[in-house]
Amino acid sequence: MTKWIKLHNDGEFDVVTAIGMLGASVKNCDDPIGLYGSGIKYAMAQALRQGISMKISDKGTLYTLTAVDTEFRGETFKNVSLKTKTGKIHKTGITTDFGKEDWNDSWFVFREFYSNCLDEGGTLEIVNGVQPSDSGVDVFLPYAEFKEIVDNIDDYFCPKDFKIKPGSGRVFKKGVWVGNLRKDPGLDFQNNTVEITETRTLNNYSAWRCLESRIECDADQEVLVALFNHPECWMEMSNLWLNGEPCNKHVHDALVEVFGSNYIICPDVDWIIKDAEEVYHRNPVLFPKDWNLPQNKVQTMNDLSQNIIFRDATPEEQKVIDRGIKALTWMNDVRRSDGLPYKLKIEDMNVRVLKTNENCGGLAKKGTPEIAINANVIEGDFTFFVETLMHESIHAISGEGDYTRGFAGYMERALAQLST
């Protein structure tokens, strides 16, 4: 026996009159899903186009959805109609062409009738054969056609108070799935202000803006972890605000969970990213530049530079520094690419001690004699200290940064000079 989906609503409802009134929407709830009085009509026309069987009963009187030919200006149209068991036809003014341009997904048919059922406080059950109720209104849809939807109903309908959770990019409005974002942000969410098309499917641009708003208002650590695991979607929300409640409570913990405790937020600048990895041994994270982050609760490259503290060398440290400078006096003979001498000499270096940030061996203010070397480096292996002092002195003398052609050129000329 054929299985049917039976959607039942209690109360009285003049089905014949209702299907012929386009734009009339009368619901017995405060926040109905359906508002326009057109969805059921679109769905019925679509069902006829796609050959989807449908039956409706009104207080036990059973009608079958059918189409009746109508001639108009030399052409034949098929009108959406209801036929009783006795063969009586109730023809509407709607043709089967209604919505043919874009009402083409069979999900639309189920969505309209089940949404109406929810608005009316109705029920859904799977039945063998068509069994009309003595009272109220029943809609019968073929189970085989909508099996995937009915068997996974929570993927298509959600509680109206649902806000956001890890998922696959599903978007809901008023408890009904209106589509998936083109890129999966790792989140499902609901927002009743998301714009929808004539087919009641999402406007992608509007959906991303609504997701931004939902994250800003309702994101916990689990939500942020899902977002941070989908960097391909970050630019879709380029102005995300994570600096308010409750996001700023969870951003750091979520970053640690996804990127590890050594994460560091960097601007998209090549040398800063390389410094984060090579100098600070941190895992660089590149967010869109306009994301607003809780500055006191996340680790940034700017924080590292602000937290660097210098001190003068102790007498013992100064002995090591002087010894290192003496070992590097050969640098005074290195010439610029134009053959002229550099203005600064190795003896000009003002070497101070870096007493914080153990990950950093040394720092230099390019083009000036100001250098800082980590205390641990000064106290450690002398050869490594000289390597560090030489590296930072090249920055100071040449005015070049790491990873530049000028920095490498200085070393090339120095090596060539030493070999002749």
Side-chain angles (χ1 to χ4, degrees):
M1 184 176 290
T2 303
K3 287 189 175 182
W4 293 82
I5 302 165
K6 181 180 181 180
L7 305 174
H8 175 77
N9 298 329
D10 289 330
E12 296 185 1
F13 191 70
D14 187 342
V15 171
V16 172
T17 300
I19 68 167
M21 294 181 66
L22 186 62
S25 178
V26 181
K27 298 295 178 65
N28 295 322
C29 61
D30 294 332
D31 185 28
I33 299 168
L35 294 174
Y36 309 113
S38 59
I40 293 294
K41 288 77 174 181
Y42 276 121
M44 295 173 78
Q46 180 187 343
L48 287 169
R49 287 196 303 274
Q50 296 182 341
I52 299 173
S53 300
M54 181 185 304
K55 297 179 183 295
I56 302 174
S57 74
D58 181 5
K59 296 186 290 293
T61 301
L62 188 66
Y63 302 89
T64 298
L65 182 68
T66 189
V68 175
D69 290 346
T70 300
E71 296 295 326
F72 179 66
R73 300 186 70 177
E75 294 189 33
T76 301
F77 294 87
K78 293 183 179 295
N79 284 68
V80 175
S81 306
L82 293 180
K83 183 173 68 173
T84 67
K85 284 185 176 181
T86 62
K88 183 178 180 180
I89 299 293
H90 298 275
K91 186 169 68 172
T92 74
I94 302 166
T95 75
T96 56
D97 287 346
F98 189 49
K100 68 177 181 179
E101 291 79 8
D102 46 14
W103 281 70
N104 48 30
D105 189 330
S106 60
W107 146 249
F108 298 162
V109 175
F110 181 86
R111 178 195 65 199
E112 294 304 314
F113 283 98
Y114 186 54
S115 295
N116 188 68
C117 179
L118 293 175
D119 280 343
E120 298 291 341
T123 59
L124 178 155
E125 63 177 319
I126 308 302
V127 297
N128 291 316
V130 175
Q131 305 164 11
S133 304
D134 293 333
S135 62
V137 176
D138 299 319
V139 175
F140 294 91
L141 300 172
Y143 174 65
E145 181 73 39
F146 303 105
K147 182 179 186 303
E148 191 277 332
I149 297 172
V150 174
D151 291 353
N152 301 279
I153 199 73
D154 291 341
D155 288 339
Y156 297 89
F157 294 87
C158 72
K160 288 186 178 180
D161 59 356
F162 161 69
K163 294 179 179 178
I164 189 169
K165 68 177 181 179
S168 57
R170 300 180 75 84
V171 183
F172 296 83
K173 179 173 184 171
K174 293 195 172 185
V176 182
W177 176 62
V178 292
N180 278 35
L181 291 163
R182 294 194 189 105
K183 294 181 181 178
D184 174 14
L187 297 167
D188 293 343
F189 74 99
Q190 177 166 226
N191 191 311
N192 289 345
T193 64
V194 65
E195 296 176 7
I196 56 176
T197 68
E198 189 67 24
T199 61
R200 284 54 163 171
T201 53
L202 65 84
N203 174 296
N204 201 67
Y205 177 83
S206 172
W208 282 111
R209 304 289 74 75
C210 289
L211 178 55
E212 280 182 335
S213 174
R214 184 57 73 204
I215 291 172
E216 291 163 4
C217 296
D218 299 291
D220 58 16
Q221 183 174 336
E222 185 181 36
V223 166
L224 292 172
V225 165
L227 174 66
F228 295 157
N229 271 313
H230 289 77
E232 66 277 8
C233 294
W234 294 349
M235 285 308 299
E236 301 291 340
M237 298 175 286
S238 56
N239 294 293
L240 190 61
W241 180 281
L242 298 178
N243 198 24
E245 295 290 345
C247 288
N248 61 6
K249 294 180 180 179
H250 306 291
V251 170
H252 172 73
D253 291 338
L255 286 166
V256 169
E257 184 172 340
V258 176
F259 300 106
S261 60
N262 68 331
Y263 81 87
I264 197 80
I265 297 173
C266 297
D268 191 7
V269 179
D270 186 61
W271 71 266
I272 295 179
I273 296 169
K274 290 179 178 177
D275 268 4
E277 296 174 322
E278 301 295 332
V279 177
Y280 295 99
H281 306 291
R282 297 296 190 104
N283 183 17
V285 180
L286 276 65
F287 284 148
K289 62 184 179 64
D290 291 329
W291 277 22
N292 192 300
L293 298 166
Q295 296 301 315
N296 296 327
K297 296 187 178 182
V298 296
Q299 300 165 176
T300 68
M301 284 294 287
N302 184 59
D303 294 333
L304 287 180
S305 64
Q306 296 298 320
N307 291 332
I308 293 173
I309 302 174
F310 308 96
R311 62 172 172 79
D312 293 330
T314 66
E316 290 300 316
E317 290 170 334
Q318 191 61 50
K319 289 180 182 179
V320 177
I321 293 170
D322 291 342
R323 183 183 168 197
I325 288 176
K326 185 176 181 181
L328 294 174
T329 53
W330 60 268
M331 293 176 66
N332 292 332
D333 296 327
V334 180
R335 292 292 187 267
R336 299 185 331 192
S337 58
D338 58 8
L340 296 175
Y342 286 97
K343 293 181 180 180
L344 291 175
K345 297 182 179 298
I346 189 67
E347 294 86 354
D348 297 329
M349 299 300 104
N350 178 31
V351 182
R352 301 188 71 199
V353 181
L354 182 62
K355 65 179 184 179
T356 60
N357 202 323
E358 297 179 358
N359 290 323
C360 181
L363 296 169
K365 189 174 182 180
K366 295 182 295 183
T368 78
E370 302 302 322
I371 288 176
I373 306 292
N374 195 299
N376 292 336
V377 175
I378 298 173
E379 296 167 3
D381 178 73
F382 181 71
T383 300
F384 181 68
F385 163 70
V386 173
E387 291 175 1
T388 304
L389 178 61
M390 180 177 67
H391 181 97
E392 301 305 335
S393 296
I394 294 173
H395 285 312
I397 294 170
S398 70
E400 296 286 346
D402 286 317
Y403 325 113
T404 66
R405 187 73 191 92
F407 189 92
Y410 181 100
M411 290 302 301
E412 291 167 356
R413 292 191 298 278
L415 290 170
Q417 177 182 297
L418 288 171
S419 65
T420 57

